[in-house]
Amino acid sequence: MNKQKKLYIETYGCQMNFSDSEIVGSIMKENNYQSTKNSEEADVIFINTCSIRDNAEQRVRKRLGELNALKKQKPHLKIGVLGCMAERLKEKLLEEEKSVDIIVGPDAYRDLPQLMAEAESGQKAINVILSADETYADITPVKIDENKISAFISIMRGCQNFCSYCVVPFTRGKERSRDPETIIQEAKDLFEKGYREITLLGQNVNSYSFEGRENYHFPNLLADVAAVNPLLRVRFATSHPKDISDDLIKTIAAYPNICKAIHLPVQSGSTNMLTKMNRKYTREWYLERISTIKKHMPECAISTDIIAGFCDETEDDHADTLSIMQEVGYDYAFMFKYSERPDTVAAKKFEDNISEEIKSKRLTEIINLQRQLSHHSNKADIGKVFEVLVEGTSKKSKEQLSGRNSQNKVVVFPKENYKVGDYVQVKITDCTTATLVGEAV
Ligand code: SAH
Ligand code: SF4
Ligand code: F3S
């Protein structure tokens, strides 16, 4: 047998990319490539990339520049670009980045062994074919993460919502759902290995629907995964507001081990902007969904994504975003400046006409408001008792453990005799904008 080669994977972008890197690790392992955490000893370096905003691509370009220098000292090193940038730029990346040997799109990872063989023989190799049905359902991912408590399970791929600003439908292809049996089996296996929390992943999990099974939708899958074991926490991301049904809300409420935290990206508080973004809901509709969630689960945390400075956004539109943030009282938010992406409807039809200066000013106002809202939400937890799943020791002190409550907030508390993987009842005594502090009761 040939000597095993060492593979180092560096991942950028969303959780789906992290999950894909585990699938890639598994495919490569079957083909005699051993994963390493040390890039210096690698024979092969894969960069799993993201195209969501221009700065995400710039970060990867910079990294490829560094790898080009490394390759001069280590001529046998092979470099692969995987994921969304590979899919978006295709051959162009081979022309522009001399260090790159292989380009592989998100649906072509099964072809990696052949592509590697071509690359080893000195050729450049590329496969960016998108698929209508690939879900990698039969591949058991190789876990890369250190903490053996929480894991991701990818339940669907692709997106065809075509929000006008978004590159994902172009880089990830058609929406398709994975066979539920393989998802439930993976959850069972992870639980048996000691994992206590899984996050079901997809660009829009609410529209999960497996072709081979009629009348089986996301609420059914969520309930089946929650039934694996009451000690297995279940999370999911991301939900599109247009399809968050009463049925789903009731399912989340019904199972104590389905976490009470919903990530529901609003993008903007202005119906005009939402229409232009092709989000398919209005401000009022979104707020109605939030009140239904809160009616069934008053304790449920709500987080969001917000884009500042989309095309034609007025001061009034921006004020609507600030006011919807207040009205919902988000516990957490990811906030971005609009970044025009080639080929999207927005790039083709609208003008990116909000100046960098105004985008920055609006984003700063959004971030400052969210900081207040997060702090307010944390202060409201002082005195409450939460069940915390311990994930590790606190970054700041070895005497403190760190974990999360069902609402996905980080909680730190004195270690005593508790250990990673335990569920501990913690009473909150203090907080910062980002963390709850407490003690076991
Ligand atoms: N599927 C998820 C989001 C995936 S992308 C959903 O629909 O909610 C994650 C976030 O990136 C989006 O929610 C959006 O807020 C942001 N985003 C996407 N395209 C963007 C762009 N062109 N400029 C700035 N932010 C963008
Ligand atoms: Fe992009 Fe919209 Fe699909 Fe989310 S739902 S990935 S924002 S197109
Ligand atoms: Fe980025 Fe692709 Fe995810 S563009 S956000 S890595 S689906």
Side-chain angles (χ1 to χ4, degrees):
M1 203 158 106
N2 290 338
K3 184 177 156 288
Q4 278 204 329
K5 294 211 168 175
K6 295 229 163 89
L7 165 69
Y8 178 79
I9 310 183
E10 209 168 287
T11 309
Y12 296 79
C14 64
Q15 292 171 331
M16 268 152 278
N17 256 14
F18 284 83
S19 163
D20 281 2
S21 289
E22 297 181 342
I23 289 168
V24 168
S26 173
I27 293 171
M28 294 294 282
K29 192 176 167 203
E30 291 287 302
N31 286 277
N32 221 17
Y33 289 86
Q34 188 197 350
S35 288
T36 170
K37 290 198 175 76
N38 178 1
S39 63
E40 282 169 21
E41 64 172 22
D43 305 295
V44 182
I45 297 183
F46 284 166
I47 311 287
N48 197 354
T49 60
C50 175
S51 288
I52 199 84
R53 285 168 290 275
D54 185 56
N55 57 11
E57 292 203 357
Q58 292 315 322
R59 213 169 302 141
V60 169
R61 295 282 190 168
K62 186 162 166 269
R63 186 68 183 122
L64 289 174
E66 291 165 15
L67 291 177
N68 200 17
L70 181 66
K71 217 173 162 177
K72 296 215 166 87
Q73 299 156 24
K74 252 177 109 169
H76 81 281
L77 180 70
K78 297 291 173 205
I79 293 174
V81 175
L82 279 53
C84 292
M85 263 177 95
E87 192 61 51
R88 192 179 86 70
L89 293 160
K90 306 184 170 61
E91 289 84 1
K92 222 166 127 195
L93 256 186
L94 284 179
E95 289 155 25
E96 291 172 359
E97 301 287 344
K98 297 294 170 228
S99 62
V100 176
D101 301 287
I102 76 172
I103 304 274
V104 196
D107 286 344
Y109 297 144
R110 285 184 204 268
D111 198 24
L112 273 166
Q114 288 77 349
L115 296 166
M116 277 313 302
E118 280 176 48
E120 299 287 3
S121 73
Q123 300 165 51
K124 302 270 177 182
I126 177 164
N127 186 344
V128 289
I129 298 171
L130 284 174
S131 152
D133 52 19
E134 177 64 272
T135 59
Y136 302 108
D138 55 316
I139 295 176
T140 306
V142 168
K143 294 289 164 216
I144 302 172
D145 204 348
E146 290 286 297
N147 114 10
K148 294 207 177 321
I149 295 302
S150 47
F152 298 126
I153 301 183
S154 180
I155 64 162
M156 58 194 296
R157 301 182 68 83
C159 180
Q160 52 208 50
N161 284 315
F162 289 97
C163 299
S164 61
Y165 51 80
C166 185
V167 76
V168 172
F170 303 91
T171 62
R172 293 268 164 173
K174 283 208 177 101
E175 185 179 292
R176 69 219 92 130
S177 296
R178 177 177 168 188
D179 183 343
E181 294 304 327
T182 68
I183 298 168
I184 295 160
Q185 193 53 49
E186 195 170 323
K188 284 183 181 159
D189 291 345
L190 287 166
F191 184 78
E192 272 157 30
K193 287 190 183 126
Y195 285 83
R196 289 294 172 264
E197 178 179 272
I198 56 164
T199 304
L200 304 177
L201 290 181
Q203 288 296 359
N204 177 11
V205 290
N206 318 141
S207 60
Y208 174 89
S209 176
F210 181 61
E211 266 192 14
R213 226 159 125 178
E214 260 175 62
N215 294 324
Y216 190 89
H217 303 292
F218 187 58
N220 308 89
L221 177 70
L222 197 55
D224 282 348
V225 175
V228 165
N229 196 299
L231 289 177
L232 182 67
R233 273 188 176 176
V234 187
R235 300 186 185 277
F236 54 93
T238 298
S239 303
H240 193 302
K242 77 178 164 63
D243 326 284
I244 186 149
S245 63
D246 288 0
D247 199 14
L248 175 58
I249 294 169
K250 286 179 190 157
T251 306
I252 302 167
Y255 288 81
N257 60 328
I258 300 181
C259 289
K260 303 299 177 270
I262 303 183
H263 187 63
L264 203 62
V266 67
Q267 314 301 357
S268 167
S270 151
T271 297
N272 284 341
M273 284 293 107
L274 292 170
T275 307
K276 209 173 177 102
M277 289 173 166
N278 193 30
R279 290 290 286 180
K280 305 184 183 92
Y281 54 86
T282 61
R283 175 189 176 97
E284 290 67 34
W285 198 86
Y286 183 93
L287 285 171
E288 188 284 322
R289 290 288 80 196
I290 296 289
S291 70
T292 304
I293 294 169
K294 293 200 168 161
K295 191 177 89 199
H296 287 90
M297 298 174 282
E299 76 283 23
C300 190
I302 300 187
S303 54
T304 199
D305 294 349
I306 295 173
I307 299 177
F310 187 55
C311 313
D312 294 336
E313 186 186 68
T314 63
E315 281 301 324
D316 282 349
D317 293 321
H318 171 59
D320 284 348
T321 294
L322 296 173
S323 75
I324 206 168
M325 291 172 69
Q326 296 264 19
E327 224 167 296
V328 177
Y330 290 113
D331 296 275
Y332 192 80
F334 297 97
M335 299 154 283
F336 315 100
K337 273 191 252 184
Y338 171 59
S339 165
E340 185 177 271
R341 309 312 293 132
D343 299 325
T344 57
V345 166
K348 286 187 191 153
K349 289 203 177 153
F350 313 142
E351 199 186 334
D352 181 11
N353 54 3
I354 307 302
S355 69
E356 200 43 41
E357 196 188 339
I358 293 179
K359 280 183 187 169
S360 294
K361 176 182 147 286
R362 291 180 184 168
L363 180 65
T364 305
E365 288 175 15
I366 290 168
I367 291 173
N368 288 342
L369 173 57
Q370 186 51 48
R371 198 170 291 140
Q372 288 172 27
L373 293 174
S374 298
H375 202 189
H376 179 82
S377 149
N378 284 355
K379 278 191 285 200
D381 287 338
I382 294 177
K384 291 184 191 162
V385 175
F386 292 109
E387 184 174 73
V388 174
L389 172 61
V390 182
E391 288 170 22
T393 41
S394 149
K395 279 183 209 120
K396 289 194 184 131
S397 156
K398 277 191 189 150
E399 298 311 309
Q400 302 270 323
L401 289 174
S402 162
R404 282 168 198 271
N405 64 6
S406 175
Q407 287 73 9
N408 210 18
K409 288 185 181 176
V410 175
V411 181
V412 296
F413 63 96
K415 191 173 190 171
E416 300 176 53
N417 291 322
Y418 299 108
K419 57 182 192 314
V420 172
D422 284 350
Y423 283 105
V424 185
Q425 298 294 325
V426 178
K427 183 168 186 176
I428 306 307
T429 54
D430 199 2
C431 73
T432 66
T433 47
T435 314
L436 298 177
V437 181
E439 47 202 43
V441 289

